[in-house]
Amino acid sequence: MRRGKQYAVAASGQWVDEEEGRRRLPAGETHAWEPGRNETVCGLSLSRSQLVRFPHVNWPDAFPESGGAADRVRRVCRRCASVAGHRGGEARPRWQRVRPRP
């Protein structure tokens, strides 16, 4: 069985959470980023866009409704969210073929 890709977060800003032991967390606009690559999932270059990498923050934790590391996240990239798998609560179930033809 194929395992899905693990995405980290790249953001336009950062802040330090004093309560959790001075941990760097994303702020501003967030993008999905695959560690080992120099670009986001939507195609932005990390260096040219001046995005900060957060390899210790998983992509699902970047959504404001998750609560995790998203206290100061203002915007989540829609293109990255569609590729990396964010689905809203009101989204329809994924399409699935019930009886495939032989």
Side-chain angles (χ1 to χ4, degrees), residues 4 6 16 24-25 34 36 45 47 69 99 102:
Q6 298 292 339
V16 178
R24 289 183 326 117
L25 295 173
E34 191 175 352
S45 171
S47 59
R99 286 180 279 167

Side-chain angles (χ1 to χ4, degrees), residues 4-97:
K5 292 184 179 182
Q6 298 292 339
Y7 295 106
V9 176
S12 61
Q14 68 179 349
W15 67 286
V16 178
D17 187 9
E18 299 293 337
E19 294 176 1
E20 290 193 28
R22 299 190 49 83
R23 186 174 158 202
R24 289 183 326 117
L25 295 173
E29 182 177 353
T30 59
H31 295 270
W33 165 64
E34 191 175 352
R37 299 193 53 132
N38 194 25
E39 65 181 7
T40 62
V41 174
C42 66
L44 290 177
S45 171
L46 293 174
S47 59
R48 288 187 182 189
S49 301
Q50 297 180 347
L51 295 174
V52 181
R53 298 174 179 101
F54 296 92
H56 58 280
V57 178
N58 292 328
W59 175 244
D61 293 336
F63 297 106
E65 60 268 12
S66 73
D71 290 341
R72 298 197 183 165
V73 171
R74 298 291 172 234
R75 183 178 175 276
V76 176
C77 176
R78 292 184 302 150
R79 292 185 291 176
C80 288
S82 68
V83 172
H86 175 65
R87 297 174 51 86
E90 68 276 351
R92 296 186 318 193
R94 291 188 186 268
W95 182 85
Q96 180 178 356
R97 185 181 300 267

